[in-house]
Amino acid sequence: MTFYRADLHIHTALSPCAGEEMTPPRIVAAALMAGLQLIAVTDHNSAGNIAAVQEAARGTGLIVFAGLEVQTREDVHLVCLFNSAAEALEWQSIVYQRLPAEENREEYFGCQLLLDAAGREIGREKRLLLTSVDMGLEEVVREVSGRGGVCIPAHVDRPSYGLLGHLGLIPEGLPFAAMELGLLYPDEALKQFPTLAGWPLTIASDAHYLKDIGRRVTIFDFVEEINLKSLHQSLRRQQFKVVVGQRDNFR
Amino acid sequence: MRLREIVERLHLQVLAGEKALDREVTGGYCSDLISDFMANGTPGCLWLTLQTHMNVVAVALLTGAAGVVFTGGRGIPPEVCRKAEAEGLPLLQTPHSTFEMAGRLYQLLNEK
């Protein structure tokens, strides 16, 4: 039995809405400082910086899961986690095919930096990432699960871009691994949204700035080695606990 | 005004719920957030939305809406139509925008 402090929803400077300070080495340093052992890199509709963060974390003990925060046709945000950066990149190629062929306008949305493990800019993603893919929620969940990935609807309790805000109810029969809370803690969320009953309820920081990393933490009890399978198992068996991160003390 | 008359006068395409077109329409509501309609939709109203998710059917039934008008000519998943047909919920479609449809519906419902 091993406990891991995890923050499974973190953006890098590739997300136009995230700070340019969100470089791989600084994310790793901030995560370690916040006492985290496990994070997931989840940029909007892109997997471009995952490998760089994983490389930056090498030797530090911090484990970095590969993820994307996909925006479905219904404008619902979905954290999609994969077993490796390579698998996340494969999924990214599907996502890119289904994104509108529009270019990012940095003056409106912010810049989308591709970085190396040292935090140096190696390019800028030109396509507009801050928009919806032309795929319905069901299709995304089935595709990601079919590829061995795991889907967790992001900040379901937030009025915008959340599953409950946009779709009112949780669609039946979809293999979500958990529901991520963005504002509330589980007891409050269950009171406000009874439809969440029975779901594993996790929390994460959805960090767009360094100060937010580890602000909201889920502690997982992993029985086996640390991978998506154990994560799924831990979620299913309710072997996790949500806590206020140490970083909340700074506020 | 009966839904059938609205369908004819606004040239709406009927995707499901043909048998229920004689119900009375009391008003309209425009929203693409299903939770918003859940909170603010009223029995007998017509729901104008771009959203084509299956939950639209569930929430329209929950609210007692007279029917749903899908605006903007988006593709409607066949399972959504099947579900609505089975539940007797009228689903209507128009290529026009929500803005235009709402304006025309408002005018129609407020005719003297």
Side-chain angles (χ1 to χ4, degrees):
Chain A
M1 186 182 309
T2 329
F3 296 105
Y4 277 77
R5 291 175 64 86
D7 185 350
L8 296 179
H9 187 162
I10 293 179
H11 292 266
T12 78
L14 174 56
S15 294
C17 43
E20 288 182 35
E21 71 208 55
M22 295 298 268
T23 66
R26 297 185 75 182
I27 287 170
V28 170
L32 292 170
M33 227 173 76
L36 298 173
Q37 287 129 314
L38 170 64
I39 62 170
V41 173
T42 55
D43 282 310
H44 292 290
N45 294 321
S46 181
N49 278 345
I50 297 167
V53 180
Q54 287 179 333
E55 199 186 322
R58 200 164 297 151
T60 66
L62 180 71
I63 296 162
V64 181
F65 278 179
L68 291 84
E69 185 178 20
V70 171
Q71 184 171 322
T72 71
R73 191 186 282 147
E74 300 87 355
D75 283 354
V76 170
H77 283 183
L78 206 54
V79 168
C80 306
L81 302 174
F82 292 90
N83 283 300
S84 67
E87 283 181 25
L89 279 169
E90 269 176 45
W91 171 243
Q92 175 196 278
S93 69
I94 310 270
V95 167
Y96 277 13
Q97 283 166 28
R98 307 285 284 271
L99 276 174
E102 272 176 57
E103 284 206 4
N104 183 37
R105 296 280 297 269
E106 292 192 351
E107 66 275 32
Y108 300 144
F109 297 110
C111 53
Q112 306 179 155
L113 301 178
L114 290 160
L115 303 162
D116 69 10
R120 288 177 298 239
E121 181 178 335
I122 50 173
R124 288 184 183 215
E125 179 55 59
K126 286 218 166 55
R127 66 172 62 239
L128 179 63
L129 293 177
L130 219 56
T131 186
S132 292
V133 290
D134 187 18
M135 269 188 272
L137 180 78
E138 275 82 357
E139 189 181 356
V140 173
V141 177
R142 296 227 158 86
E143 275 281 328
V144 170
S145 310
R147 292 162 173 271
V150 160
C151 282
I152 302 175
H155 39 69
V156 295
D157 52 338
R158 253 175 44 189
S160 53
Y161 299 114
L163 181 68
L164 292 176
H166 288 219
L167 292 189
L169 310 165
I170 300 171
E172 277 175 32
L174 288 178
F176 298 119
M179 298 287 149
E180 181 202 287
L181 300 174
L183 294 173
L184 305 170
Y185 283 86
D187 49 336
E188 309 161 319
L190 282 169
K191 260 184 232 150
Q192 210 167 318
F193 305 103
T195 175
L196 289 173
W199 286 99
L201 301 178
T202 62
I203 61 177
S205 71
D206 191 5
H208 285 68
Y209 300 94
L210 288 174
K211 66 172 170 49
D212 294 326
I213 293 177
R215 196 162 54 80
R216 290 154 61 89
V217 173
T218 302
I219 299 177
F220 290 95
D221 173 6
F222 288 120
V223 182
E224 295 165 35
E225 53 184 322
I226 316 308
N227 52 30
L228 269 198
K229 198 174 150 229
S230 324
L231 178 77
H232 212 163
Q233 217 165 50
S234 166
L235 287 167
R236 225 180 1 237
R237 295 178 184 166
Q238 295 279 355
Q239 291 171 323
F240 66 90
K241 188 173 186 264
V242 303
V243 294
V244 179
Q246 291 167 359
R247 296 224 144 198
D248 249 13
N249 300 338
F250 298 139
R251 309 209 128 207
Chain B
M1 183 178 286
R2 297 206 181 270
L3 185 50
R4 190 178 302 282
E5 188 178 348
I6 294 172
V7 165
E8 280 160 15
R9 298 204 29 205
L10 297 183
H11 307 292
L12 302 173
Q13 187 193 343
V14 181
L15 302 174
E18 177 93 54
K19 288 186 194 125
L21 291 185
D22 281 323
R23 51 177 66 165
E24 196 68 21
V25 175
T26 54
Y29 194 81
C30 306
S31 186
D32 303 323
L33 294 183
I34 300 179
S35 62
D36 174 46
F37 184 76
M38 192 152 49
N40 298 306
T42 49
C45 79
L46 208 48
W47 179 10
L48 276 58
T49 183
L50 283 175
Q51 181 83 253
T52 62
H53 193 272
M54 179 66 94
N55 281 13
V56 166
V57 175
V59 171
L61 291 167
L62 209 71
T63 319
V68 181
V69 181
F70 294 115
T71 55
R74 293 188 168 192
I76 314 301
E79 61 271 23
V80 169
C81 298
R82 275 197 296 272
K83 178 75 179 165
E85 187 62 47
E87 300 288 344
L89 174 75
L91 293 187
L92 314 154
Q93 192 177 27
T94 172
H96 299 293
S97 72
T98 305
F99 176 70
E100 200 176 331
M101 255 358 272
R104 290 164 67 179
L105 179 64
Y106 187 86
Q107 229 171 6
L108 204 59
L109 289 175
N110 288 284
E111 268 180 0
K112 289 273 149 44

